[in-house]
Amino acid sequence: MTGQTSQLNDVRADDVVVGVDGSSSSTAALRWAAHQARITGGRLLAVMAWEVPVFYGWAPAYPYEDLPATAGKVLGETVREALGVGAPDVPVLESVVAGHPAQVLIEASGRAALLVVGSHGHGTFTGGLLGSVSQRCVHHAHCPVVVVRDKD
């Protein structure tokens, strides 16, 4: 595994990009994506995007002082949980990027072979109301998209 980067400039045409948010569905997506990268001989690029929460009116300062570091920690822990502590048998890059998760993943999909995202299990109607990341990626990605549902 390589260290975390803050940009997606090194995405290659054979890379499998996977969105990670620390949820069980993104862990399942990470495992699926690693298996696919192993089969195709590509690298696995695990991406976590972060945004500063929007407050309306007067609000106290956000309690997390270093959002990129926190996102990086969650990303690293999720990768270790999904793929194990030792060196996986597929090259893994971790990338923490500032921005809306769907937009970051859609941008990365422009240079990747495959985009993999987790599903939180929302039905069609609820998913439409929430504007989920997986739904936006399915509709706007520049490469094939796989949505992995957690078994729970």
Side-chain angles (χ1 to χ4, degrees):
M1 255 184 273
T2 65
Q4 295 172 1
T5 63
S6 60
Q7 297 185 25
L8 300 174
N9 294 334
D10 59 348
V11 178
R12 298 191 309 212
D14 62 343
D15 285 348
V16 176
V17 175
V18 59
V20 178
D21 65 4
S23 68
S24 61
S25 61
S26 76
T27 302
L30 189 53
R31 286 186 183 114
W32 193 97
H35 179 71
Q36 183 65 25
R38 195 174 302 113
I39 290 170
T40 61
R43 301 181 309 175
L44 178 63
L45 177 56
V47 178
M48 178 171 273
W50 64 273
E51 287 185 298
V52 175
V54 177
F55 292 107
Y56 296 98
W58 290 95
Y62 198 69
Y64 301 109
E65 295 173 9
D66 193 351
L67 291 173
T70 301
K73 181 179 177 189
V74 171
L75 177 60
E77 289 170 357
T78 305
V79 168
R80 283 190 300 281
E81 176 186 338
L83 306 180
V85 177
D89 55 350
V90 62
V92 179
L93 302 172
E94 297 176 16
S95 185
V96 176
V97 182
H100 186 275
Q103 192 56 44
V104 167
L105 294 172
I106 290 165
E107 181 182 326
S109 76
R111 296 177 297 280
L114 182 67
L115 174 60
V116 182
V117 293
S119 169
H120 290 289
H122 296 298
T124 305
F125 181 71
T126 305
L129 288 176
L130 296 176
S132 70
V133 170
S134 59
Q135 190 171 39
R136 283 186 60 193
C137 289
V138 165
H139 290 288
H140 300 289
H142 305 285
C143 68
V145 179
V146 173
V147 180
V148 177
R149 225 178 248 285
D150 188 19
K151 293 179 183 175
D152 293 336

